Amino acid sequence: MRILITGIICLAAAAVFAQGRDTALKAYFDSISAHHLYDGNIALTENGHKVYAFSDGYADYATGQRNTMQSRFNLASISKIFTATAILQLRDKKQLRLEDPVTRYLPGFPFPGITIRHLLTHTSGLPDLELYEEVVKQYPDSVITNAAILPLLRQWNKELYFTPGDQFRYCNTNFSLLALIVEKITGSSFPAYLEKHIFKPAGMKDTYVAVYGSSNFQDSLRVKQQVIPALYDSAYTDATLVKRYRYSEYNNQASIGPSNVITTADDMIKFDNAYFSGKLLKLSTVEEAITPLKLNNGKVYTEHMDTMLGEGTGQYGLGWDIFIQPGYGKGVGHGGFKFGLATFYYHHLARKQVVIAYTNGNSRFGENVTSCFYMLNHQRPMPLDFKKSAVRAYANALITGGADHAACMLHLYKADTSHYYFNTREMNFLGYDFLYQCSAKKHQQWSLETFKLNTFLDPGNFNTYDSYGEALLETGYREDAVRMYRKSLELNPNSADGLKAMKKLGLL
């Protein structure tokens, strides 16, 4: 989500930009639609009113179901804003204090030094998804729900990563615990609380919390998380069914608090209007929620960020990301990510501009979101890149025509810079896709061929030899693997992977 890729200029949008913002927006999204560059929905508002809305692509490639503005997306980590709002509502009603220890509300919680504020600000030091690794190893088909968190924390045989309040470390466990606290204080389920106290007051009629095992988990208007599983594949598939994503997208699909608020773009506009007008919280509490946290040393937590809005400074409040963009000032919001799905919500405070963007498949998400923000502010969008991946085309040629044919075609793809882009990093990924995502012997040979070719394409990069060495070792060519690891270490004597491999081989 933070990487922005430059490319060729979208002449259609640039040429008409001077004619007005609405015309520029239409030209930009017409270009995206014409080239099938986006699966998902986008809504832009200013002063509480919709400026532009766009929906395109597929909610489900397998069935051919299209995205519409009624399509519902899992907000992923944007859900944390709703959890934080629930906690702050209870604080405003004096049903809790942010400095209260978590143990006051969850007696079985094993870390007495952690407060509600620590959970809200990701300064608790608690483990994240690694908390569930052992139980999933033992029970591979298990789906972790919030009910498992306290027992597993009590079994956690390691210390906190740091003293609470000393550091910022993003952690989903924090917000699962906050959802449990809401339930403990109110005697209501977390989904029912959000429905009554946030969704309904905000007028969000198409929003709910997805509860694993319930009927709403199979909502027909909810989009699929869709990925192309490997660089040698060409079709999108449901991410929850892909082996490499199973742990995060299947075993960890059920947590509420950090994720699983399901909504539309229009309902997020309603939330934004309700939140910043003081309908859900006191305005003084809203201001508090978007104030940067201070660590125990008194310093405001700050990091440099290459965000989807360009370079800037990142901070964190009470469940909110805070963005300080040079030339624009302060904005707040949150991003969300699951394999096969990404979400972004941004509210510029002074200009009262809002960007809401969801994607569940094909997109250049960072570029698209950045361009929306630029165009809202009467600037040209980022260049659109219509080029295809030479590496994907090479993979297809390798599968269909063999190594010599593929090498020949790669020369042609690399020379055709008007239609193809090439980078050796993708070649490296392709080699690993062949090596670990396939079991057939021929796939191992394709892996070796890809890594071998990459050493000639990028001979000064130690990582190409390191990767080739790994593939050689995996396929039984130990002596040649050692040669490649030594070549890698010649170029980078501090290569962690190279040193680890040589130690494992007993050569260091």
Side-chain angles (χ1 to χ4, degrees):
M1 290 170 54
R2 297 186 178 196
I3 299 175
L4 303 177
I5 306 172
T6 59
I8 63 175
I9 296 175
C10 175
L11 296 176
V16 300
F17 196 86
Q19 299 176 24
R21 182 172 68 181
D22 293 347
T23 304
L25 284 162
K26 184 178 186 305
Y28 178 80
F29 285 110
D30 282 351
S31 293
I32 285 177
S33 185
H35 290 85
H36 311 291
L37 295 180
Y38 199 86
D39 293 305
N41 291 351
I42 292 175
L44 312 176
T45 77
E46 190 171 65
N47 295 315
H49 301 290
K50 191 183 293 184
V51 172
Y52 201 88
F54 175 74
S55 181
D56 203 19
Y58 290 89
D60 186 345
Y61 271 97
T63 64
Q65 181 180 345
R66 300 283 300 185
N67 278 317
T68 71
M69 289 308 292
Q70 287 71 50
S71 296
R72 294 194 268 256
F73 291 73
N74 189 333
L75 288 179
S77 285
I78 297 176
S79 303
K80 292 178 174 67
I81 288 176
F82 292 86
T83 305
T85 301
I87 288 290
L88 292 173
Q89 285 179 337
L90 296 177
R91 198 284 303 272
D92 281 355
K93 296 173 184 175
K94 302 189 186 311
Q95 293 182 264
L96 61 77
R97 295 182 309 120
L98 299 190
E99 308 311 324
D100 287 341
V102 174
T103 52
R104 177 171 295 182
Y105 305 99
L106 304 176
F109 184 68
F111 302 104
I114 295 177
T115 67
I116 292 174
R117 185 181 295 277
H118 291 140
L119 300 181
L120 280 171
T121 57
H122 294 295
T123 56
S124 68
L126 286 167
D128 198 359
L129 298 187
E130 64 271 22
L131 176 63
Y132 316 120
E133 288 177 354
E134 291 304 316
V135 71
V136 170
K137 285 180 183 177
Q138 190 173 358
Y139 305 102
D141 293 330
S142 61
V143 175
I144 305 297
T145 66
N146 283 17
I149 292 173
L150 286 174
L152 289 174
L153 281 172
R154 288 193 289 269
Q155 296 173 27
W156 182 253
N157 58 2
K158 301 177 184 178
E159 296 181 354
L160 295 174
Y161 289 119
F162 49 82
T163 299
D166 273 3
Q167 299 178 34
F168 173 92
R169 184 177 186 272
Y170 193 85
C171 174
N172 289 282
T173 309
N174 295 324
F175 279 74
S176 295
L177 291 167
L178 289 170
L180 291 174
I181 290 171
V182 171
E183 293 182 332
K184 184 71 171 181
I185 290 174
T186 65
S188 171
S189 72
F190 184 69
Y193 179 90
L194 292 194
E195 171 63 30
K196 182 177 180 180
H197 296 279
I198 298 179
F199 303 156
K200 190 173 182 179
M204 302 170 71
K205 296 180 180 179
D206 292 313
T207 303
Y208 61 91
V209 177
V211 178
Y212 183 77
S214 71
S215 59
N216 72 11
F217 218 75
Q218 304 300 322
D219 176 10
S220 63
L221 289 176
R222 180 177 168 186
V223 306
K224 296 289 186 182
Q225 296 170 226
Q226 300 171 132
V227 295
I228 297 178
L231 276 162
Y232 55 76
D233 288 319
S234 59
Y236 279 91
T237 189
D238 187 335
T240 64
L241 304 178
V242 178
K243 181 179 178 181
R244 70 197 302 181
Y245 307 133
R246 181 177 172 84
Y247 182 69
S248 62
E249 306 311 325
Y250 175 79
N251 300 119
N252 283 286
Q253 66 178 303
S255 61
I256 58 175
S259 187
N260 279 325
V261 170
I262 314 297
T263 192
T264 63
D266 284 344
D267 266 14
M268 273 304 294
I269 294 173
K270 293 174 182 176
F271 171 78
D272 182 84
N273 289 338
Y275 190 89
F276 287 98
S277 67
K279 195 170 186 178
L280 302 176
L281 293 170
K282 298 175 183 177
L283 288 176
S284 60
T285 302
V286 169
E287 185 61 32
E288 181 183 2
I290 58 176
T291 298
L293 75 92
K294 287 185 178 180
L295 301 173
N296 287 341
N297 60 11
K299 295 182 179 179
V300 172
Y301 164 75
T302 303
E303 66 172 345
H304 176 80
M305 297 174 69
D306 293 321
T307 71
M308 285 187 290
L309 303 175
E311 288 194 18
T313 298
Q315 299 169 326
Y316 205 82
L318 301 176
W320 288 82
D321 278 320
I322 301 167
F323 309 98
I324 309 297
Q325 304 299 132
Y328 293 103
K330 183 176 178 179
V332 298
H334 215 291
F337 174 81
K338 296 172 75 66
F339 287 105
L341 181 141
T343 60
F344 191 69
Y345 163 48
Y346 175 83
H347 178 109
H348 191 280
L349 294 168
R351 304 182 187 205
K352 297 182 180 179
Q353 296 170 335
V354 173
V355 177
I356 296 161
Y358 312 143
T359 185
N360 66 314
N362 183 36
S363 74
R364 287 149 167 103
F365 198 57
E367 297 173 45
N368 301 145
V369 171
T370 304
S371 291
C372 287
F373 183 65
Y374 285 172
M375 287 186 287
L376 271 177
N377 289 283
H378 303 277
Q379 296 185 46
R380 285 184 172 83
M382 292 187 67
L384 281 172
D385 185 352
F386 304 130
K387 296 180 184 179
K388 298 177 182 179
S389 167
V391 173
R392 287 190 184 278
Y394 164 80
N396 181 66
L398 183 60
I399 292 169
T400 58
D404 291 333
H405 168 68
C408 176
M409 294 307 297
L410 184 59
H411 281 295
L412 299 181
Y413 298 140
K414 288 177 83 264
D416 185 4
T417 56
S418 295
H419 298 96
Y420 291 93
Y421 72 89
F422 172 81
N423 67 64
T424 54
R425 190 163 177 253
E426 272 196 5
M427 281 289 279
N428 205 56
F429 288 153
L430 175 63
Y432 279 116
D433 280 346
F434 280 136
L435 185 62
Y436 291 121
Q437 303 307 316
C438 304
S439 57
K441 188 74 173 177
K442 62 181 179 181
H443 294 150
Q444 292 182 341
Q445 292 304 311
W446 290 341
S447 172
L448 290 172
E449 181 65 26
T450 301
F451 283 129
K452 176 177 69 178
L453 189 55
N454 214 24
T455 63
F456 292 102
L457 292 167
D458 196 6
N461 184 350
F462 77 95
N463 190 55
T464 63
Y465 301 99
D466 183 281
S467 298
Y468 189 25
E470 184 176 342
L472 287 164
L473 192 62
E474 285 283 335
T475 50
Y477 299 98
R478 186 181 187 278
E479 291 184 4
D480 286 335
V482 170
R483 292 185 178 100
M484 289 299 97
Y485 280 125
R486 283 178 172 157
K487 177 64 177 178
S488 173
L489 289 169
E490 283 178 18
L491 294 170
N492 181 8
N494 297 317
S495 169
D497 289 338
L499 291 170
K500 182 179 178 181
M502 294 294 276
K503 286 179 182 177
K504 188 175 180 179
L505 290 166
L507 298 174
L508 280 181

